[in-house]
Amino acid sequence: MFDYLIVGAGFAGSVLAERLASQLNKKVLIADVRSHIGGNTYDYYDENGILIHKYGPHIFHTNAKAVFDYLSQFTPWRPYQHRVRAWVDGQLVPMPINLDTINMLYGTKFTSFQLDEFFASVAEPREQIRTSEDVVVSKIGRELYEKFFRGYTRKQWGLDPSELDASVTSRVPVRTNRDDRYFTDTYQAMPLYGYTRMFEKMLAHPNIKIMLNSDWREIDGVIPYREIVYTGPVDEFFDFRYGKLPYRSIEFKFETLNKAQHQPVAVINYPNDYPYTRVTEFKHLTGQEHAKTSLVYEYPCAEGDPYYPVPRAENNELYKRYKTLADDTSGVYFAGRLATYKYYNMDQVVAQALALFDKISEMIPARSREVLHEPTVIYTPSPALGLVGRNGVHH
Ligand code: FAD
Ligand code: UDP
């Protein structure tokens, strides 16, 4: 009998599996419909031996020390600061928009102070910042909005920025200094040996069993378990009772070139040209040295694997109805980007899973927790044997 069936081996499912097994000695079965662990962060070596991300570029960044410390148990890191250029008016300019972006675009020599004044002169005041259009136009005006945000957003979401919550374009700042990093978080690094290796470590516990290529419904009723942690799409769990929640998908097209480097930075955004939104060159992210280089082009689409919840009022309303159902379903915990319909980054999913774990452990009666925390086998960890888990099991 398993204590938990965990649906999905991505960050949400794997963090909960690791915590439940290692801290509460629970027996956990993870089922994932895919042929691999890691969820959307899965990486592997392609046929040329280049480490690539199967579901698009994943760059780790967080301000949460607790999240960074937690993951550091399972991987060493490679410091990496992400940089992006946008292809606009025939030039590659820094994105997020900064002082250099504007000076390159307009041939000006603004100082930061002058750029502040320039933005103020072109900004269109809005009474309320409600949509993704309001956010940008109220800061930098219509022309820059159209050059950098409107086309990209329409491609990415199949919606105009005016139809999306402010939170979407708010992810990308506007700067008046020369900082050309995509993120400014305290911790910015890539798992040194890749995400998949990190997940292998996280899940290498004798209490955790993994079934790949398995939809959880195939084993429901066949393998006994006490409770479920569900990290798939929430509407699917309830057989789309209230209709489909929109999720945006992407078609990834990979290419390997017979040269060591193709573009100056890891990602180039194409807000206005071509049907794809961005092109990623993986070696910038991984630091790998190789005579060839692999790229991925992202073509957003409506059908396909669900990747992005679509933040807008009507979808949030529909999600709320599913959330009420979820709250009323005892014995099932919902976690992660698809199950809680939140446009979360990896670190936010880890934080959410750690918080859910705390909630679950608080619900376990104190007496049985005390018993569970007693080691059943006394052991002496030996440095020569590497990591030794509880009960003296090596992993
Ligand atoms: P997932 O990784 O989606 O895991 C859910 C798992 O559940 C999947 O493996 C799925 O196969 C499985 N599943 C679903 N239904 C079933 C079923 N019926 N039975 C069994 N298994 C099932 N975040 C960042 O922090 N930085 C980035 O740079 C970044 N880039 C991104 C780029 C792209 C293109 C995308 C799509 C996302 C990006 N993210 C990034 C977000 C990141 O991928 C997510 O925050 C994180 O992977 C979510 O983890 P999760 O466990 O919630 O979901
Ligand atoms: N965005 C844009 N132009 C850009 C980059 C981003 O319009 O060059 C908008 C777009 O709507 C995008 C959102 O900002 O979906 C968030 O961008 P981010 O890079 O965070 O997207 P993600 O990496 O999550 O796909």
Side-chain angles (χ1 to χ4, degrees):
M1 165 74 92
F2 287 97
D3 295 305
Y4 291 92
L5 168 66
I6 296 194
V7 181
F11 261 112
S14 299
V15 167
L16 278 152
E18 187 282 326
R19 288 288 86 184
L20 289 165
S22 73
Q23 302 302 300
L24 298 180
N25 197 25
K26 296 292 182 191
K27 299 215 177 318
V28 176
L29 173 64
I30 307 182
D32 202 300
V33 73
R34 289 172 172 167
S35 60
H36 57 74
I37 57 172
N40 285 340
T41 71
Y42 173 70
D43 54 12
Y44 68 102
Y45 288 87
D46 67 11
E47 62 274 20
N48 293 291
I50 299 170
L51 185 60
I52 65 171
H53 298 184
K54 187 176 165 81
Y55 305 98
H58 278 75
I59 297 106
F60 187 81
H61 58 100
T62 191
N63 285 318
K65 183 174 185 306
V67 168
F68 190 71
D69 288 348
Y70 170 72
L71 293 177
S72 301
Q73 298 176 73
F74 312 109
T75 186
W77 298 94
R78 165 180 191 260
Y80 169 73
Q81 305 261 352
H82 191 47
R83 287 186 168 78
V84 175
R85 298 281 181 271
W87 175 249
V88 174
D89 294 349
Q91 287 191 79
L92 285 182
V93 294
M95 183 70 184
I97 293 173
N98 70 10
L99 181 60
D100 290 321
T101 311
I102 299 300
N103 282 338
M104 285 171 81
L105 208 61
Y106 293 128
T108 44
K109 291 199 172 121
F110 288 145
T111 60
S112 292
F113 180 70
Q114 289 168 321
L115 182 55
D116 253 337
E117 289 183 333
F118 171 74
F119 283 155
S121 74
V122 292
E124 288 180 16
R126 300 259 156 131
E127 277 194 6
Q128 254 199 331
I129 307 295
R130 224 174 20 86
T131 72
S132 269
E133 180 189 290
D134 297 337
V135 173
V136 182
V137 171
S138 67
K139 258 195 291 197
I140 57 173
R142 185 153 294 275
E143 184 170 303
L144 289 166
Y145 161 72
E146 281 175 4
K147 283 186 195 298
F148 287 88
F149 287 92
R150 188 162 188 238
Y152 188 106
T153 301
R154 287 177 151 227
K155 268 193 268 186
Q156 171 70 16
W157 301 94
L159 293 168
D160 191 79
S162 61
E163 299 171 292
L164 283 163
D165 277 4
S167 60
V168 177
T169 51
S170 298
R171 289 167 61 90
V172 185
V174 172
R175 303 191 181 119
T176 52
N177 61 20
R178 303 189 60 198
D179 189 347
D180 69 343
R181 296 169 306 157
Y182 207 65
F183 308 111
T184 50
D185 301 49
T186 311
Y187 304 96
Q188 303 187 46
M190 299 289 287
L192 186 60
Y193 306 115
Y195 289 95
T196 304
R197 286 287 287 278
M198 179 177 76
F199 276 82
E200 282 169 3
K201 274 254 175 159
M202 207 186 283
L203 298 175
H205 189 285
N207 286 1
I208 301 175
K209 309 289 174 215
I210 305 169
M211 282 182 77
L212 298 175
N213 303 305
S214 305
D215 191 305
W216 76 279
R217 289 177 198 269
E218 294 174 59
I219 53 175
D220 193 36
V222 180
I223 300 179
Y225 56 84
R226 283 184 230 280
E227 295 194 307
I228 298 186
V229 174
Y230 181 81
T231 76
V234 62
D235 55 345
E236 194 179 306
F237 185 88
F238 293 107
D239 297 320
F240 308 103
R241 192 175 308 177
Y242 300 136
K244 278 189 115 174
L245 266 173
Y247 292 92
R248 191 72 172 156
S249 193
I250 294 181
E251 200 185 319
F252 300 102
K253 290 204 177 143
F254 294 88
E255 178 179 73
T256 301
L257 302 176
N258 221 345
K259 55 181 176 183
Q261 192 183 315
H262 175 63
Q263 55 191 42
V265 289
V267 173
I268 296 186
N269 288 356
Y270 292 90
N272 307 309
D273 308 283
Y274 311 113
Y276 43 82
T277 47
R278 60 186 177 191
V279 178
T280 299
E281 183 173 19
F282 290 107
K283 283 165 63 185
H284 291 282
L285 306 181
T286 59
Q288 190 178 0
E289 292 191 7
H290 198 291
K292 295 183 183 185
T293 193
S294 291
L295 318 173
V296 66
Y297 295 71
E298 293 179 49
Y299 296 80
C301 46
E303 299 304 320
D305 275 5
Y307 295 132
Y308 291 83
V310 184
R312 58 191 307 223
E314 62 200 78
N315 301 347
N316 302 340
E317 284 309 308
L318 181 55
Y319 168 64
K320 268 193 208 153
R321 298 184 68 198
Y322 278 112
K323 168 130 182 10
T324 305
L325 276 185
D327 290 343
D328 291 344
T329 308
S330 66
V332 187
Y333 302 95
F334 294 79
R337 178 148 148 154
L338 305 173
T340 61
Y341 204 68
K342 297 273 177 337
Y343 185 1
Y344 274 165
N345 294 325
M346 293 180 279
D347 64 319
Q348 294 170 300
V349 171
V350 173
Q352 188 195 41
L354 292 174
L356 175 56
F357 169 73
D358 286 344
K359 197 177 119 193
I360 292 175
S361 20
E362 275 164 24
M363 286 183 328
I364 291 174
R367 230 182 122 250
S368 79
R369 241 196 350 256
E370 272 165 33
V371 174
L372 285 171
H373 275 117
E374 284 298 319
T376 46
V377 176
I378 311 265
Y379 62 85
T380 319
S382 151
L385 294 175
L387 275 177
V388 181
R390 19 179 344 205
N391 301 342
V393 180
H394 302 276
H395 54 100

